Amino acid sequence: MKLGLGLYKHMLNKQHFDFAKQCGCTHLIVHLVDYFNKGNQTSNNDQPIGDGSGWGIAGDSNKIWSVEELVGLKREVNSSGLELEAIENFDPANWHDILLDGPRKKQQMEDVKQIIRNVGKAGIPIMGYNFSLSGVSSRITGGFARGGAISVGMDGIDDKPIPNGMVWNMIYETNAKKGYMPVITHDELWSRLKCFLQELVPVAEEAGVVLAAHPDDPPVPLLRGTPRLVYQPDMYQKLLDIKHSKSNALEFCLGSIAEMTEGDVYQATEQYAAHIAYIHFRNVIGKAPHYKEVFVDEGDIDMFKILKILKSKNFNGVLIPDHTPQISCNAPWHAGMAYTLGFMNAALKMV
């Protein structure tokens, strides 16, 4: 198993690459979407939170990530002694009508296919995604972790409708007509995912890229009036069964799995180990819709037990902290990550 770090777009620089290397990482998982672009957020040195108005403004719908810029990024990462393992999440600007089954769906499907081809040509093995209408939203912050460290949690289900022009918690059309996203069923959302995978997986296979699906975060059946896909562990199997392929895999978030009201995080790890592309290694207390994110060594999950299961299943992928509580100091993100990476590094060597 390999130790990695996840970095947001504004962190893709030598200072953060060196930080990862100094903390013992060998791999990076990167975000190329700017979640903080013109958004109403208090800090870009923590995970994006925002409010009901979304995280920020999505990117340019007429632009996709080119081979040249991906190769350039990979070269910078490699020059710091690290490997670029995955990109996490498509830009809503490039696939909002795939999610919404809108008028630009066909063209955006071709754009996403080209993104996958470009990722493959750049030698990046994994593309993570989260097929969701409301995205990672409806969370709260507070001193939830040990010692009052600022962290993220959930305290009830947000049922505010999503305004037109927003999907995946980002604004893709700033001048959208007034109104709200149409209500659909769970079956309709699964139908959209099926179409996505049936078209994209063969392209990913040819490109040598693994598509890795994140479970719902937070994992509840409905959020902001929209259905969710993978909010219980067994629903991951339904996703895998849509298209049997090594390129149809899982972005396995331990925190999200543990927050689910059914199943068991240890049994799920055993069941899906052979299908995991990479892992979000974070800990929580509680179940959705009432849970808190905490330090890696104080939550409900026995992280050593997880590592032992992964070792028994011969998992050899990358584990990243994903996000952590903020430690009270002048560099709260760096301190929180350094603490978690130190724990992970020692735990991996022990196991």
Side-chain angles (χ1 to χ4, degrees), residues 270-286:
E270 287 195 32
Q271 179 180 350
Y272 296 118
H275 303 283
I276 296 173
Y278 62 94
I279 292 175
H280 284 174
F281 197 82
R282 65 179 177 88
N283 215 333
V284 299
I285 293 175

PDB file of all heavy atoms in Angstrom, residues 270-286:
ATOM      1  N   GLU A 270     -13.754  -5.684   2.928  1.00  0.00           N
ATOM      2  CA  GLU A 270     -13.465  -7.040   2.433  1.00  0.00           C
ATOM      3  C   GLU A 270     -14.159  -7.302   1.107  1.00  0.00           C
ATOM      4  O   GLU A 270     -13.560  -7.845   0.178  1.00  0.00           O
ATOM      5  CB  GLU A 270     -13.924  -8.066   3.469  1.00  0.00           C
ATOM      6  CG  GLU A 270     -13.046  -8.152   4.699  1.00  0.00           C
ATOM      7  CD  GLU A 270     -13.308  -9.415   5.510  1.00  0.00           C
ATOM      8  OE1 GLU A 270     -13.654 -10.444   4.894  1.00  0.00           O
ATOM      9  OE2 GLU A 270     -13.165  -9.373   6.737  1.00  0.00           O
ATOM     10  N   GLN A 271     -15.420  -6.926   1.018  1.00  0.00           N
ATOM     11  CA  GLN A 271     -16.203  -7.214  -0.175  1.00  0.00           C
ATOM     12  C   GLN A 271     -15.673  -6.514  -1.414  1.00  0.00           C
ATOM     13  O   GLN A 271     -15.653  -7.105  -2.500  1.00  0.00           O
ATOM     14  CB  GLN A 271     -17.659  -6.792   0.058  1.00  0.00           C
ATOM     15  CG  GLN A 271     -18.578  -7.023  -1.142  1.00  0.00           C
ATOM     16  CD  GLN A 271     -20.008  -6.594  -0.869  1.00  0.00           C
ATOM     17  OE1 GLN A 271     -20.368  -6.296   0.269  1.00  0.00           O
ATOM     18  NE2 GLN A 271     -20.823  -6.561  -1.914  1.00  0.00           N
ATOM     19  N   TYR A 272     -15.244  -5.266  -1.251  1.00  0.00           N
ATOM     20  CA  TYR A 272     -14.915  -4.462  -2.427  1.00  0.00           C
ATOM     21  C   TYR A 272     -13.422  -4.261  -2.666  1.00  0.00           C
ATOM     22  O   TYR A 272     -13.035  -3.575  -3.616  1.00  0.00           O
ATOM     23  CB  TYR A 272     -15.588  -3.093  -2.307  1.00  0.00           C
ATOM     24  CG  TYR A 272     -17.103  -3.162  -2.320  1.00  0.00           C
ATOM     25  CD1 TYR A 272     -17.849  -2.726  -1.223  1.00  0.00           C
ATOM     26  CD2 TYR A 272     -17.793  -3.666  -3.424  1.00  0.00           C
ATOM     27  CE1 TYR A 272     -19.235  -2.784  -1.239  1.00  0.00           C
ATOM     28  CE2 TYR A 272     -19.176  -3.728  -3.440  1.00  0.00           C
ATOM     29  CZ  TYR A 272     -19.890  -3.287  -2.347  1.00  0.00           C
ATOM     30  OH  TYR A 272     -21.263  -3.349  -2.370  1.00  0.00           O
ATOM     31  N   ALA A 273     -12.571  -4.851  -1.843  1.00  0.00           N
ATOM     32  CA  ALA A 273     -11.132  -4.595  -1.935  1.00  0.00           C
ATOM     33  C   ALA A 273     -10.576  -4.790  -3.339  1.00  0.00           C
ATOM     34  O   ALA A 273      -9.731  -4.010  -3.800  1.00  0.00           O
ATOM     35  CB  ALA A 273     -10.384  -5.483  -0.944  1.00  0.00           C
ATOM     36  N   ALA A 274     -11.051  -5.798  -4.036  1.00  0.00           N
ATOM     37  CA  ALA A 274     -10.535  -6.088  -5.379  1.00  0.00           C
ATOM     38  C   ALA A 274     -10.960  -5.049  -6.412  1.00  0.00           C
ATOM     39  O   ALA A 274     -10.412  -5.019  -7.523  1.00  0.00           O
ATOM     40  CB  ALA A 274     -11.003  -7.474  -5.825  1.00  0.00           C
ATOM     41  N   HIS A 275     -11.909  -4.201  -6.052  1.00  0.00           N
ATOM     42  CA  HIS A 275     -12.436  -3.212  -6.994  1.00  0.00           C
ATOM     43  C   HIS A 275     -12.055  -1.783  -6.622  1.00  0.00           C
ATOM     44  O   HIS A 275     -12.512  -0.839  -7.261  1.00  0.00           O
ATOM     45  CB  HIS A 275     -13.966  -3.318  -7.056  1.00  0.00           C
ATOM     46  CG  HIS A 275     -14.469  -4.672  -7.433  1.00  0.00           C
ATOM     47  ND1 HIS A 275     -14.451  -5.144  -8.733  1.00  0.00           N
ATOM     48  CD2 HIS A 275     -14.979  -5.674  -6.676  1.00  0.00           C
ATOM     49  CE1 HIS A 275     -14.947  -6.360  -8.765  1.00  0.00           C
ATOM     50  NE2 HIS A 275     -15.259  -6.714  -7.535  1.00  0.00           N
ATOM     51  N   ILE A 276     -11.221  -1.618  -5.597  1.00  0.00           N
ATOM     52  CA  ILE A 276     -10.866  -0.279  -5.125  1.00  0.00           C
ATOM     53  C   ILE A 276      -9.705   0.285  -5.942  1.00  0.00           C
ATOM     54  O   ILE A 276      -8.663  -0.347  -6.083  1.00  0.00           O
ATOM     55  CB  ILE A 276     -10.487  -0.308  -3.635  1.00  0.00           C
ATOM     56  CG1 ILE A 276     -11.687  -0.735  -2.781  1.00  0.00           C
ATOM     57  CG2 ILE A 276      -9.987   1.061  -3.184  1.00  0.00           C
ATOM     58  CD1 ILE A 276     -11.352  -0.941  -1.310  1.00  0.00           C
ATOM     59  N   ALA A 277      -9.909   1.500  -6.469  1.00  0.00           N
ATOM     60  CA  ALA A 277      -8.830   2.187  -7.184  1.00  0.00           C
ATOM     61  C   ALA A 277      -7.926   2.923  -6.197  1.00  0.00           C
ATOM     62  O   ALA A 277      -6.702   2.826  -6.261  1.00  0.00           O
ATOM     63  CB  ALA A 277      -9.414   3.169  -8.197  1.00  0.00           C
ATOM     64  N   TYR A 278      -8.514   3.693  -5.296  1.00  0.00           N
ATOM     65  CA  TYR A 278      -7.750   4.318  -4.210  1.00  0.00           C
ATOM     66  C   TYR A 278      -8.703   4.619  -3.062  1.00  0.00           C
ATOM     67  O   TYR A 278      -9.923   4.489  -3.195  1.00  0.00           O
ATOM     68  CB  TYR A 278      -7.006   5.576  -4.659  1.00  0.00           C
ATOM     69  CG  TYR A 278      -7.846   6.730  -5.160  1.00  0.00           C
ATOM     70  CD1 TYR A 278      -8.244   7.763  -4.316  1.00  0.00           C
ATOM     71  CD2 TYR A 278      -8.216   6.811  -6.496  1.00  0.00           C
ATOM     72  CE1 TYR A 278      -8.990   8.822  -4.773  1.00  0.00           C
ATOM     73  CE2 TYR A 278      -8.968   7.876  -6.974  1.00  0.00           C
ATOM     74  CZ  TYR A 278      -9.353   8.881  -6.114  1.00  0.00           C
ATOM     75  OH  TYR A 278     -10.094   9.938  -6.574  1.00  0.00           O
ATOM     76  N   ILE A 279      -8.129   5.013  -1.916  1.00  0.00           N
ATOM     77  CA  ILE A 279      -8.904   5.099  -0.677  1.00  0.00           C
ATOM     78  C   ILE A 279      -8.781   6.471  -0.026  1.00  0.00           C
ATOM     79  O   ILE A 279      -7.687   7.031   0.085  1.00  0.00           O
ATOM     80  CB  ILE A 279      -8.430   4.011   0.316  1.00  0.00           C
ATOM     81  CG1 ILE A 279      -8.794   2.615  -0.216  1.00  0.00           C
ATOM     82  CG2 ILE A 279      -9.030   4.223   1.703  1.00  0.00           C
ATOM     83  CD1 ILE A 279      -8.257   1.481   0.620  1.00  0.00           C
ATOM     84  N   HIS A 280      -9.930   6.996   0.407  1.00  0.00           N
ATOM     85  CA  HIS A 280      -9.970   8.151   1.303  1.00  0.00           C
ATOM     86  C   HIS A 280      -9.933   7.618   2.735  1.00  0.00           C
ATOM     87  O   HIS A 280     -10.880   7.007   3.208  1.00  0.00           O
ATOM     88  CB  HIS A 280     -11.239   8.961   1.071  1.00  0.00           C
ATOM     89  CG  HIS A 280     -11.208   9.796  -0.163  1.00  0.00           C
ATOM     90  ND1 HIS A 280     -12.296  10.505  -0.607  1.00  0.00           N
ATOM     91  CD2 HIS A 280     -10.212  10.044  -1.061  1.00  0.00           C
ATOM     92  CE1 HIS A 280     -11.987  11.153  -1.715  1.00  0.00           C
ATOM     93  NE2 HIS A 280     -10.726  10.883  -2.004  1.00  0.00           N
ATOM     94  N   PHE A 281      -8.834   7.854   3.406  1.00  0.00           N
ATOM     95  CA  PHE A 281      -8.564   7.266   4.718  1.00  0.00           C
ATOM     96  C   PHE A 281      -8.883   8.307   5.796  1.00  0.00           C
ATOM     97  O   PHE A 281      -8.023   9.051   6.248  1.00  0.00           O
ATOM     98  CB  PHE A 281      -7.092   6.852   4.772  1.00  0.00           C
ATOM     99  CG  PHE A 281      -6.722   5.881   5.858  1.00  0.00           C
ATOM    100  CD1 PHE A 281      -6.924   4.519   5.696  1.00  0.00           C
ATOM    101  CD2 PHE A 281      -6.156   6.319   7.047  1.00  0.00           C
ATOM    102  CE1 PHE A 281      -6.557   3.609   6.679  1.00  0.00           C
ATOM    103  CE2 PHE A 281      -5.784   5.425   8.039  1.00  0.00           C
ATOM    104  CZ  PHE A 281      -5.997   4.081   7.852  1.00  0.00           C
ATOM    105  N   ARG A 282     -10.162   8.383   6.191  1.00  0.00           N
ATOM    106  CA  ARG A 282     -10.563   9.344   7.215  1.00  0.00           C
ATOM    107  C   ARG A 282     -11.547   8.693   8.186  1.00  0.00           C
ATOM    108  O   ARG A 282     -12.173   7.694   7.863  1.00  0.00           O
ATOM    109  CB  ARG A 282     -11.162  10.604   6.591  1.00  0.00           C
ATOM    110  CG  ARG A 282     -12.467  10.403   5.825  1.00  0.00           C
ATOM    111  CD  ARG A 282     -12.976  11.743   5.284  1.00  0.00           C
ATOM    112  NE  ARG A 282     -14.183  11.586   4.495  1.00  0.00           N
ATOM    113  CZ  ARG A 282     -15.415  11.600   4.986  1.00  0.00           C
ATOM    114  NH1 ARG A 282     -15.608  11.702   6.306  1.00  0.00           N
ATOM    115  NH2 ARG A 282     -16.474  11.488   4.199  1.00  0.00           N
ATOM    116  N   ASN A 283     -11.666   9.307   9.362  1.00  0.00           N
ATOM    117  CA  ASN A 283     -12.456   8.720  10.439  1.00  0.00           C
ATOM    118  C   ASN A 283     -13.597   9.650  10.855  1.00  0.00           C
ATOM    119  O   ASN A 283     -13.502  10.878  10.697  1.00  0.00           O
ATOM    120  CB  ASN A 283     -11.568   8.417  11.646  1.00  0.00           C
ATOM    121  CG  ASN A 283     -11.999   7.160  12.376  1.00  0.00           C
ATOM    122  OD1 ASN A 283     -13.157   6.767  12.351  1.00  0.00           O
ATOM    123  ND2 ASN A 283     -11.052   6.513  13.046  1.00  0.00           N
ATOM    124  N   VAL A 284     -14.670   9.054  11.384  1.00  0.00           N
ATOM    125  CA  VAL A 284     -15.862   9.802  11.764  1.00  0.00           C
ATOM    126  C   VAL A 284     -16.451   9.227  13.055  1.00  0.00           C
ATOM    127  O   VAL A 284     -16.125   8.106  13.463  1.00  0.00           O
ATOM    128  CB  VAL A 284     -16.942   9.742  10.656  1.00  0.00           C
ATOM    129  CG1 VAL A 284     -16.430  10.361   9.362  1.00  0.00           C
ATOM    130  CG2 VAL A 284     -17.402   8.306  10.416  1.00  0.00           C
ATOM    131  N   ILE A 285     -17.340  10.000  13.650  1.00  0.00           N
ATOM    132  CA  ILE A 285     -18.160   9.541  14.768  1.00  0.00           C
ATOM    133  C   ILE A 285     -19.622   9.763  14.390  1.00  0.00           C
ATOM    134  O   ILE A 285     -20.009  10.873  14.003  1.00  0.00           O
ATOM    135  CB  ILE A 285     -17.834  10.303  16.066  1.00  0.00           C
ATOM    136  CG1 ILE A 285     -16.420   9.965  16.559  1.00  0.00           C
ATOM    137  CG2 ILE A 285     -18.848   9.987  17.150  1.00  0.00           C
ATOM    138  CD1 ILE A 285     -15.977  10.762  17.765  1.00  0.00           C
ATOM    139  N   GLY A 286     -20.415   8.697  14.469  1.00  0.00           N
ATOM    140  CA  GLY A 286     -21.839   8.830  14.197  1.00  0.00           C
ATOM    141  C   GLY A 286     -22.234   8.343  12.815  1.00  0.00           C
ATOM    142  O   GLY A 286     -21.405   7.895  12.022  1.00  0.00           O
TER     143      GLY A 286
END
